């Protein structure tokens, strides 16, 4: 781990273009700038991301975004960039920009796995000693649902993940199915669920009792689809009731698998990361569980749950692996090594 350094993070794995300056001083990680541009509104029209459009927008935003991030402070020690997983067209924009800047500025490059970035978001604007180990970490995003055991800050073991749809994907697809919002639908499902009747729809909780740490959410989506097909008119209250049934099912499964991981690994902390970590019901249930078991629960600030570049720089501090610009390539299929 380097001391007293400043890293420029670059994130372009999907539809967000991010650049952020993060500095480490006296064991504290401080965000000096955090700029985010998004092509989300374009994808909202189609109800999902069109990779070609996402890549074109990345190209438009990347230079202004980086320029803004370093407007007030140009002294940096290294550049960290997401090199996977993600959409190849989007990843390439960030990686090629980072390689060029590394060559021109003569600064080392640090490749970052986007998924790990979601975990290290837990240290943003905090002390390096803020989390006690061992820990169990859950990444819940639009593309991934993964459980990891962390022996210490940098020793991670993947223990389970989704066999089909990710939790965020289930929120998005079901939200769209009931016409709640376009894309992404997670926050809209959460809002509608607040007005929903918890007893009206009892949807399946796939794999909740399986003796592993795996997830599956595609069956839930099918169950909601069948329910919707049997309803002649989807009024507002019914939408809220379906949203409630959906949120309860997803949160129940996530909490059950964390409970299983806690029983197996006996950690001191639980870490959340990824867009779905912003869900209040999930946070409340885990808070309740953590308190009952004398565990610490860490959730990133809301703006650092969803995709951002500060988390990429944070991850680079913990996994400080300097490379030359010519030694880094995009890897859309990257997972856990
Ligand atoms: O981490 P993220 O920004 O992007 C990926 O790496 O995928 O996560 C986006 C996902 C979307 O599926 C979105 O619907 C979901 O996070 N999400 C939420 C909430 N806020 C974002 N899901 C449920 N409740 C929320 N409040
Ligand atoms: Zn993400």
């Amino acid at each position: 781990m380097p001391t007293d350094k400043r890293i420029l993070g670059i994130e372009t794995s999907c539809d967000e273009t991010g650049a952020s300056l993060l500095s480490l001083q006296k064991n504290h990680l401080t965000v000096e700038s955090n700029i985010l541009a998004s092509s989300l509104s374009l994808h909202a029209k189609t109800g999902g991301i069109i990779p070609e459009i996402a890549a074109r927008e990345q190209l438009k935003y990347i230079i202004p975004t980086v320029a803004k991030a370093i407007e007030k402070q140009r002294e940096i020690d290294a550049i960290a960039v997401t090199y996977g997983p993600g959409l190849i067209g989007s990843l390439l924009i960030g990686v090629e920009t980072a390689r060029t800047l590394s060559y021109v500025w003569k600064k080392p490059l640090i490749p970052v796995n986007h998924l790990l970035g979601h975990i290290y978001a837990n240290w943003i604007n905090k002390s390096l000693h803020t989390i006690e180990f061992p820990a169990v970490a859950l990444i819940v995003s639009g593309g991934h649902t993964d459980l990891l055991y962390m022996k210490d800050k940098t020793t991670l073991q993947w223990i389970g993940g989704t066999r089909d749809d990710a939790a965020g994907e289930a929120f998005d697809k079901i939200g769209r199915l009931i016409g709640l919002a376009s894309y992404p639908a997670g926050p809209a499902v959460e809002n509608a669920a607040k007005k929903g009747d918890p007893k009206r729809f009892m949807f399946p909780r796939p794999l909740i009792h399986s003796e592993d740490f795996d997830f599956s959410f595609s069956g839930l989506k099918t169950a909601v689809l069948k329910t919707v097909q049997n309803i002649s008119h989807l009024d507002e209250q019914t939408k809220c009731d379906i949203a409630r049934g959906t949120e309860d099912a997803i949160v129940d499964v996530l909490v059950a698998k964390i409970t299983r991981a806690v029983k197996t690994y006996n950690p001191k902390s639980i870490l959340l990361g990824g867009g779905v970590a912003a869900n209040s019901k999930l946070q409340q249930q885990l808070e309740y569980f953590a308190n009952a078991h004398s565990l610490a629960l860490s959730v990133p600030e809301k703006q650092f749950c969803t995709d951002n570049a500060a988390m990429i720089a944070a991850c680079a501090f913990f996994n400080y692996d300097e490379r030359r610009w010519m030694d880094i390539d995009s890897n859309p299929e990257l997972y856990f090594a």
Side-chain angles (χ1 to χ4, degrees):
M1 188 103 184
T3 49
D4 296 0
K5 277 197 194 303
R6 182 178 292 113
I7 295 182
L8 168 67
I10 296 179
E11 154 65 33
T12 66
S13 64
C14 192
D15 55 347
E16 252 104 22
T17 315
S20 172
L21 276 189
L22 205 67
S23 65
L24 176 64
Q25 279 161 347
K26 296 194 183 116
N27 286 322
H28 193 276
L29 278 183
T30 307
V31 176
E32 296 189 15
S33 70
N34 184 39
I35 311 299
L36 204 60
S38 173
S39 58
L40 217 58
S41 57
L42 294 176
H43 306 297
K45 291 179 195 143
T46 47
I49 291 176
I50 298 180
E52 171 73 20
I53 292 179
R56 285 180 195 208
E57 295 302 300
Q58 292 283 5
L59 196 53
K60 245 191 251 173
Y61 297 144
I62 188 71
I63 299 298
T65 302
V66 171
K68 185 112 186 98
I70 58 166
E71 203 172 37
K72 295 198 179 110
Q73 175 56 266
R74 284 173 182 269
E75 302 256 312
I76 63 157
D77 300 291
I79 302 164
V81 65
T82 301
Y83 75 113
L87 303 170
I88 181 66
S90 291
L91 283 172
L92 273 170
I93 310 292
V95 169
E96 292 311 313
T97 303
R99 276 158 47 109
T100 309
L101 293 176
S102 161
Y103 172 72
V104 175
W105 292 344
K106 300 186 175 55
K107 299 290 176 193
L109 261 187
I110 302 163
V112 172
N113 178 332
H114 176 89
L115 298 172
L116 294 183
H118 278 303
I119 293 179
Y120 290 98
N122 281 287
W123 278 267
I124 296 176
N125 286 333
K126 291 190 193 137
S127 150
L128 292 184
H129 308 302
T130 190
I131 287 159
E132 276 195 89
F133 286 91
V136 161
L138 176 70
I139 304 168
V140 261
S141 70
H144 292 86
T145 304
D146 292 292
L147 252 182
L148 293 102
Y149 170 66
M150 294 179 80
K151 194 163 152 254
D152 53 47
K153 283 190 188 100
T154 51
T155 318
L156 296 94
Q157 182 195 345
W158 181 88
I159 58 173
T162 185
R163 298 184 189 170
D164 40 56
D165 292 356
E169 197 177 348
F171 272 110
D172 294 338
K173 287 180 176 168
I174 293 171
R176 191 177 165 209
L177 192 71
I178 58 176
L180 271 186
S182 38
Y183 184 85
V189 173
E190 170 168 7
N191 279 334
K194 288 185 184 131
K195 292 170 259 160
D197 174 357
K199 299 205 185 82
R200 182 154 171 217
F201 296 105
M202 188 53 73
F203 294 125
R205 279 125 172 93
L207 298 185
I208 196 162
H209 298 301
S210 69
E211 296 196 353
D212 53 31
F213 303 105
D214 285 353
F215 303 87
S216 163
F217 293 106
S218 71
L220 172 63
K221 182 185 62 195
T222 312
V224 176
L225 177 64
K226 282 193 185 144
T227 303
V228 170
Q229 283 168 341
N230 286 327
I231 296 172
S232 53
H233 173 61
L234 211 54
D235 59 42
E236 285 311 307
Q237 187 55 48
T238 305
K239 287 182 186 181
C240 294
D241 297 343
I242 293 178
R244 179 64 192 260
T246 299
E247 187 182 59
D248 285 353
I250 294 175
V251 169
D252 275 1
V253 174
L254 296 175
V255 173
K257 291 292 166 154
I258 287 188
T259 305
R260 170 175 282 278
V262 165
K263 283 191 183 138
T264 310
Y265 292 96
N266 200 20
K268 290 193 174 136
S269 313
I270 299 169
L271 272 63
L272 277 190
V276 183
N279 183 277
S280 326
K281 163 88 48 84
L282 177 63
Q283 290 186 12
Q284 281 157 12
Q285 304 247 332
L286 283 176
E287 189 80 56
Y288 181 75
F289 171 78
N291 284 340
H293 292 82
S294 305
L295 295 167
L297 172 69
S298 174
V299 184
E301 231 177 88
K302 200 165 186 166
Q303 60 167 324
F304 301 124
C305 285
T306 42
D307 289 352
N308 66 88
M311 71 182 198
I312 302 306
C315 183
F317 274 108
F318 288 88
N319 302 278
Y320 201 82
D321 176 20
E322 286 191 357
R323 308 271 184 93
R324 298 173 307 166
W325 67 269
M326 64 285 264
D327 295 330
I328 290 190
D329 275 319
S330 307
N331 182 354
E333 308 297 333
L334 183 70
Y335 200 33
F336 291 104

